[in-house]
Amino acid sequence: MPKQNLFAKKLKKQFLSINDSIESYFNNLKSIKSYLKKSRITDNYRVFFIFLGCVIFVMSYFSIPSFYDKDLIQLKIKNHAFKKYNIDLNFNEKISYSLLPKPHFVSKNLSIFRDENEIANAKDVKIFISIKDFFSLNELKIKNIVFKKTDFNFSQEDYSFFKKLLNTEPNENRIIINDSNIFFRDEYDEVLFINKIYKSEFYWDPNNLQNVLISKNEIFNLPYKLTIKNDKFNKKVISNFNSKKIRLNVKNEIDYNDIEKYGIIDILFVNKGTSFNFEINKEALKFSSFIKKNNYDGFIEFKPFYLNANFNYDGLNTKNIFNDDSILIDLIKSELLNNSNLSANFDIKVKDITNLDELNNLDLKISIEEGNISFSNSTIKWKDDLKITLMESILNNNENEIELAGRLNLDFKDITNFYRYFQLQKNYRKDIKKIQIDFVYNFDQNKISFDNTKIDNEQNSKLELFISDFNRSGKKIFNRITFKNFVNNFFNSYAG
């Protein structure tokens, strides 16, 4: 028994030792785990405080300009704009500092002067600055200047504002003009027209060594993009005007060495290209085409503005002039021609109407004066037997509908061939020398109405009844079949 008890005691002691070892092991693991946790928290706090310190330092650094003397900042900006861009600025209110999206100063109600005359007022101006050295005001460098909601009031002398920008010395900064207007005024301070600027940007192109002006604009409801490049090394100005609305792209290159400047203009007009020479001085611009076939020439006087152009075509399709997709209709709808200060005369001569065998010798005269567009005195021939003259015409553009109102004079040299062509019955063929008829043609609806019809200076009651019925029917006549039926019914009513 004593031996058994002794063995049991030894075994129990051994188990207790193993248990203590296991317990001690797990206790050590807990201690290590607790230590690791405490160490990790301490490191996180250390990282957090380092990060917070960096943020405070950076924010403090970027906030330094807010403590600058605002009068000195305004003077520095004013000197920078004048030295770099020859722009004379005047601050009407104290500037403020803003950190986002990039460090910049903000000015409200800023004025731009030229020779002590205020030519613009900017409601919102941002002056961006370099972030390299904020500790010294003297080391502060001004970068881009952004003008927004600026109204420019330009007379003829003030056009040099953008010209001076294109002549500035190379630098890495930019002038940006957004959501602004240019009011072009005459010598009596009346507004001639308004050019809207959506986004305009001036900068130096170091790759091509050119001053560049790119601007998205709108004038007379006509959006367009203008790019001007000043190649000072070769003394050339290259410009590109593009308007998708009227499908017009004009490229121009001009040498400005001489007082009278010469150049070449390339035009892509409704997917058709042409080029012409021009000569320009302070008073006028003259232009003429290279080619002899389908040639044109003209001139533009600047003061007062007047345009005169002559176009000569051997052949032309009338659809290119009068259909809904024509350039003339697009121009009218754009209201570009409705400017009361625009005066112009166009004379378009076409020998052959390619889509109508019977018509020839079109002489289309377009006159624009004080916003009124007229086609009076335009003529066209039907074979050699009939001359059609458009008299007292006026073009109206109301609520996006275009109507041409006027009077047609039909002078017959020999009406027999006319009757024969339209296969009019012989008993309805009267000897007629002249027909007068008033009309209103709607380009959008392709409809026409007539009134006040006279044959050989006399009215006819039966003919008036026929015209009245035709107007009420609202029929379209501009296709071969319906027009032929109209002509037959017209003369039948008169003779019947």
Side-chain angles (χ1 to χ4, degrees), residues 21-37:
S21 298
I22 294 173
E23 185 177 355
S24 176
Y25 174 77
F26 281 105
N27 285 336
N28 289 334
L29 283 178
K30 288 181 179 179
S31 298
I32 293 171
K33 186 176 181 181
S34 177
Y35 174 78
L36 290 174
K37 284 184 176 180

Side-chain angles (χ1 to χ4, degrees), residues 9-21:
K9 287 181 179 180
K10 287 183 178 179
L11 185 62
K12 182 178 180 181
K13 187 177 180 179
Q14 187 68 31
F15 274 116
L16 288 173
S17 177
I18 294 172
N19 183 64
D20 289 338
S21 298

Side-chain angles (χ1 to χ4, degrees), residues 184 192-196 217-224 245 330-342:
F184 291 91
L192 296 174
F193 54 89
I194 302 173
N195 184 91
K196 296 180 181 179
N217 311 272
E218 180 180 300
I219 186 169
F220 305 122
N221 296 322
L222 180 71
Y224 70 94
K245 185 172 183 178
D330 286 341
L331 278 172
I332 295 168
K333 288 184 176 180
S334 72
E335 298 183 11
L336 178 64
L337 306 178
N338 291 0
N339 182 14
S340 60
N341 297 288
L342 177 63

Side-chain angles (χ1 to χ4, degrees), residues 261-324:
K261 301 173 179 61
Y262 303 86
I264 299 173
I265 293 181
D266 297 320
I267 297 179
L268 183 63
F269 188 56
V270 197
N271 299 324
K272 294 183 179 180
T274 185
S275 300
F276 60 87
N277 291 313
F278 71 89
E279 175 186 342
I280 185 172
N281 54 39
K282 292 183 178 181
E283 287 77 29
L285 178 147
K286 298 179 182 179
F287 61 89
S288 59
S289 61
F290 288 111
I291 55 177
K292 293 182 179 180
K293 184 179 180 180
N294 298 336
N295 63 84
Y296 52 88
D297 62 76
F299 62 89
I300 300 174
E301 295 177 350
F302 300 131
K303 191 177 179 181
F305 183 89
Y306 175 72
L307 167 63
N308 184 283
N310 303 296
F311 300 87
N312 298 280
Y313 295 94
D314 287 342
L316 189 68
N317 193 315
T318 56
K319 292 181 180 180
N320 294 333
I321 303 176
F322 295 113
N323 72 344
D324 293 337

Side-chain angles (χ1 to χ4, degrees), residues 49 70 252 342 358 384 427:
F49 282 118
K70 297 301 187 294
N252 175 33
L342 177 63
E358 301 80 17
D384 292 325
N427 56 320

Side-chain angles (χ1 to χ4, degrees), residues 420-431:
R420 187 181 297 116
Y421 177 84
F422 284 97
Q423 298 177 347
L424 193 68
Q425 295 182 23
K426 291 186 178 181
N427 56 320
Y428 293 123
R429 298 182 181 185
K430 303 293 183 180
D431 186 20

